[in-house]
């Protein structure tokens, strides 16, 4: 009887121990979950959610803890950046890079504009002369030699000009006779036949020192149905002024030095404004 009782107690103890090990007593709250299986298995970390932070042992690029935390799904600490924050940071970075890329071109454009403005501000225009007709060619050669390569454009402007009123040039005498007949029918009796450049013949109505007189003669001829032209002709005693435009300060100084050494500093004057108008004293 005693032996049977001991056997029953032994079996009961083994059954209770097995129930504890298998967790059958959890729903009855007979034993706590901590420290025993299977509670420890349930609360252990999921290996797929683990991210190593700090230096890479293999020698690669270190990974920042914040980046690892942002990649870990279901991060309980809340340290991972939200999608809106990440998008805002990416947009701000892209904008910064765009501004940085555009800045050099803007600076280069401003620098080019400043250089162009400086070059225009320092551009000079000089009137050299007047020179007598027999000295004009020699003066032109010296001025050309004084200019640096690629600098300046020399134009000649005649002083003491004369004004010529004439009809259109014609190629032969027969055409000129037709013009003369037209003049006579209009009551014009003062005219001259001249040989123009080449073989052309020109019917001249007059050569004047005064431009106003030449203009009045043209108006009178037009009222009679004629179509005369007005041309400027250098006088045999005309003087020449050389206009040098589009030169920088160094070239202007060089030209002034040559003119002062060869002739006189008084022969150098700044072009009247705006550049391209007749020099001072020329009418």
């Amino acid at each position: 009887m005693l032996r049977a009782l001991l056997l029953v107690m032994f079996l009961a103890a083994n059954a209770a121990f097995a129930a504890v090990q298998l967790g059958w007593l959890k729903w009855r709250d007979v034993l706590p979950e901590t420290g025993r299986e299977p509670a420890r298995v349930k609360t252990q970390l999921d290996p797929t959610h683990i991210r190593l932070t700090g230096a890479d042992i293999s020698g690669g690029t270190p990974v920042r803890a914040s980046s690892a935390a942002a990649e870990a799904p279901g991060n309980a600490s809340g340290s991972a950046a939200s999608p809106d924050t990440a998008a805002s940071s990416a947009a701000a970075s892209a904008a910064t890079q765009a501004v940085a890329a555009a800045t050099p071109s803007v600076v280069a454009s401003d620098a080019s504009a400043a250089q162009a403005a400086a070059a225009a501000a320092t551009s000079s225009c000089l009137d050299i002369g007047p020179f007598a007709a027999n000295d004009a060619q020699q003066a032109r050669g010296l001025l050309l030699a004084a200019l640096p390569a690629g600098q300046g454009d020399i134009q000649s402007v005649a002083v003491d000009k004369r004004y010529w009123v004439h009809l259109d040039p014609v190629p032969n005498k027969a055409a000129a006779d037709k013009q003369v007949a037209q003049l006579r029918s209009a009551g014009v009796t003062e005219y001259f036949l001249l040989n123009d450049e080449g073989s052309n013949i020109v019917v001249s109505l007059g050569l004047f020192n005064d431009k106003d007189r030449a203009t009045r003669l043209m108006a009178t001829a037009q009222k009679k149905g004629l179509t005369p032209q007005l041309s400027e002709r250098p006088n045999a005693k005309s003087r020449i002024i050389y206009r040098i435009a589009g030169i920088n300060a160094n070239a202007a100084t060089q030209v002034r030095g040559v003119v002062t050494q060869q002739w006189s500093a008084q022969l150098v004057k700044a072009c009247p404004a705006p550049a391209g108008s007749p020099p001072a004293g020329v009418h």
Side-chain angles (χ1 to χ4, degrees):
M1 183 66 180
L2 179 60
R3 293 174 64 182
L5 181 59
L6 291 176
L7 178 60
V8 172
M9 293 178 61
F10 176 76
L11 293 175
N14 287 336
F17 181 75
V20 172
Q21 292 293 331
L22 295 178
W24 292 345
L25 298 179
K26 177 183 177 184
W27 64 279
R28 297 293 185 181
D29 293 330
V30 176
L31 293 175
E33 291 185 349
T34 58
R36 305 296 295 175
E37 295 290 353
R40 182 171 62 83
V41 177
K42 180 180 179 181
T43 58
Q44 68 180 2
L45 295 177
D46 186 353
T48 61
H49 293 173
I50 296 177
R51 296 292 187 271
L52 297 178
T53 62
D56 190 351
I57 299 178
S58 62
T61 305
V63 180
R64 293 188 305 171
S66 58
S67 299
E71 293 176 0
N75 193 324
S77 64
S79 60
S82 65
D84 293 342
T85 304
S88 300
S89 300
S93 176
T96 303
Q97 293 177 359
V99 172
T103 300
S105 60
V106 173
V107 173
S109 176
D110 292 343
S112 300
Q115 291 177 358
T122 57
S123 179
S124 301
C125 177
L126 298 178
D127 281 346
I128 315 297
F131 297 99
N134 54 348
D135 296 330
Q137 290 300 322
Q138 180 184 5
R140 179 182 176 86
L142 291 174
L143 292 174
L144 285 173
L147 285 174
Q151 283 284 324
D153 177 28
I154 296 183
Q155 299 177 353
S156 59
V157 181
V159 184
D160 307 324
K161 293 178 293 186
R162 304 180 76 182
Y163 302 93
W164 185 26
V165 182
H166 59 88
L167 301 182
D168 293 333
V170 292
N172 50 52
K173 182 70 166 51
D177 289 341
K178 291 183 179 180
Q179 289 181 332
V180 170
Q182 184 181 8
L183 289 175
R184 289 178 177 176
S185 64
V188 179
T189 57
E190 295 185 3
Y191 56 85
F192 306 92
L193 295 181
L194 302 175
N195 291 325
D196 197 8
E197 297 179 357
S199 59
N200 291 333
I201 299 176
V202 180
V203 178
S204 173
L205 300 181
L207 190 63
F208 303 91
N209 293 328
D210 186 357
K211 187 175 182 179
D212 290 340
R213 290 184 59 191
T215 302
R216 288 196 297 269
L217 177 61
M218 280 192 63
T220 301
Q222 289 172 350
K223 289 180 180 179
K224 295 180 179 181
L226 303 176
T227 55
Q229 298 181 9
L230 178 63
S231 301
E232 296 181 355
R233 306 279 290 187
N235 192 356
K237 298 181 179 180
S238 293
R239 296 169 295 169
I240 302 297
I241 287 179
Y242 290 111
R243 174 163 295 169
I244 307 176
I247 56 177
N248 57 30
N250 293 335
T253 301
Q254 205 163 329
V255 170
R256 288 179 182 274
V258 170
V259 174
T260 301
Q261 182 178 0
Q262 294 292 330
W263 302 287
S264 171
Q266 296 179 352
L267 296 182
V268 183
K269 296 180 181 179
C271 299
S277 60
V282 178
H283 302 286

